Amino acid sequence: MTNADQEEFWTSDAGPKWVAQQAQMDAVLAPVMELLMARASLKPGDRVLDIGCGTGVSVAAAAQAVGHRGHVTGLDISQTMLDLASQRMATTTNIAFLKADAQSHPFTSLFDAMISRFGVMFFDDTVAALSNLEAALAPGGTMTFAAWGPAPQNPFFMVPAKAAVGVLGDLPKVDRTLPGPFAFEDSARVLEMMEQAGLSNTDVETVALDLTPPGNASETAALFLDIGPAQRAVEYHEADTAMTARVHQAVADAISDFDTSSGLRIPACIHIYRARKPA
Ligand SMILES: C[S@@+](CC[C@H](N)C(=O)[O-])C[C@H]1O[C@@H](n2cnc3c(N)ncnc32)[C@H](O)[C@@H]1O
């Protein structure tokens, strides 16, 4: 089976943390949701596939955009994420959830639009995955994916990472072209993979925006100790309670640099990838 390690990761490791932090994550990433929805231009009546839908915030937004004549399928490889998504949307009628690997699932119907917020960077074979998705896109259909831009332009990752490493020591170097949050950071490489997959009318737009953590620096540092590189550093170095508390303080100190009169504002660089199948 393809992507078995990602299924395990998003079901038993990261999944439960994303579920526990769903309200925080939805709030901090809300500006990316707005950007994705603005660029996807979903229409009433559209049949939409949301790839790597996670705990479902984009499924809800898409369901509202397409209305009762449209339909949204939230697809994810993690049952842990889908359980919360379906629980949150138990009364929404124009949606369905599908536990499947987007790379290999044999789709039996066509979609007018495919969207994803941060759900397409984890395929072990991106060209195969995009090609599988392309086959399920209706003539005239669109794909709109939000992915992280270059790591150095995303303090959401770099600042907690640097603070944690400052306390605990280095982390093993990560190959960012492998499945992971930055697998789509190099837009030239991704556009090439999109073309290899047979996608048409491809483009990328790089957008600078501010992420909006709802809490103060200490509360946001607690989020970073659950999800992201600071969490990875704590786990890798097997930090005890005292060291973990030091990491928490270092991360809180570092992100307090982003405090403004309207709360924390963490700059981010987001790529919006798009494709449109000829009608
Ligand atoms: C970073 S999370 C983003 C979740 C959600 N889209 C959001 O923005 O809150 C990535 C999601 O992609 C899912 N995912 C990873 N690989 C996948 C695959 N091959 N097929 C379907 N979903 C996948 C994960 O289970 C996870 O829910």
Side-chain angles (χ1 to χ4, degrees):
M1 163 177 167
T2 54
N3 297 305
D5 51 346
Q6 290 295 326
E7 178 175 1
E8 170 64 21
F9 177 72
W10 288 104
T11 303
S12 305
D13 187 345
K17 292 171 188 150
W18 275 69
V19 164
Q21 297 282 5
Q22 169 261 314
Q24 285 258 71
M25 290 304 279
D26 282 358
V28 74
L29 300 177
V32 185
M33 186 77 267
E34 280 167 32
L35 174 68
L36 174 68
M37 294 308 291
R39 295 302 186 266
S41 301
L42 301 177
K43 298 182 299 301
D46 275 351
R47 298 157 297 170
V48 179
L49 180 69
D50 183 347
I51 301 151
C53 68
T55 58
V57 66
S58 45
V59 174
Q64 195 166 18
V66 302
H68 66 278
R69 285 188 297 112
H71 190 269
V72 184
T73 302
L75 177 151
D76 204 285
I77 204 167
S78 161
Q79 191 61 51
T80 306
M81 300 291 245
L82 288 176
D83 284 346
L84 178 57
S86 44
Q87 189 187 315
R88 290 173 76 193
M89 270 152 268
T91 56
T92 312
T93 51
N94 60 342
I95 59 167
F97 290 102
L98 173 63
K99 185 197 170 291
D101 178 359
Q103 183 175 319
S104 56
H105 181 69
F107 292 98
T108 52
S109 56
L110 298 180
F111 298 92
D112 305 305
M114 296 186 181
I115 60 169
S116 184
R117 184 182 73 176
F118 301 142
V120 291
M121 303 95 79
F122 304 95
F123 303 129
D124 63 19
D125 185 338
T126 299
V127 174
L130 294 176
S131 167
N132 188 45
L133 292 166
E134 194 276 340
L137 198 58
T142 60
M143 286 184 179
T144 312
F145 302 150
W148 295 104
Q153 292 170 50
N154 280 299
F156 186 73
F157 290 85
M158 300 312 278
V159 168
K162 197 169 163 214
V165 163
V167 174
L168 297 172
D170 281 338
L171 276 172
K173 218 171 159 42
V174 175
D175 177 351
R176 297 206 300 259
T177 65
L178 294 177
F182 292 105
F184 275 36
E185 69 173 348
D186 178 348
S187 56
R189 178 174 163 270
V190 175
L191 286 173
E192 202 175 304
M193 291 192 290
M194 291 172 81
E195 271 153 41
Q196 283 168 15
L199 297 177
S200 306
N201 304 300
T202 57
D203 68 45
V204 61
E205 177 191 6
T206 301
V207 178
L209 49 72
D210 285 346
L211 301 178
T212 50
N216 60 26
S218 177
E219 288 158 346
T220 304
L223 172 67
F224 288 138
L225 258 71
D226 237 10
I227 293 174
Q231 180 276 327
R232 198 161 63 87
V234 165
E235 192 174 291
Y236 176 76
H237 289 286
E238 299 178 0
D240 61 16
T241 311
M243 286 305 269
T244 304
R246 282 185 55 197
V247 174
H248 177 270
Q249 190 58 53
V251 174
D253 290 346
I255 53 179
S256 63
D257 283 353
F258 300 109
D259 222 346
T260 72
S261 55
S262 55
L264 287 169
R265 291 285 175 273
I266 304 182
C269 173
I270 305 297
H271 289 321
I272 296 286
Y273 291 100
R274 281 191 290 201
R276 186 171 39 79
K277 196 164 185 163

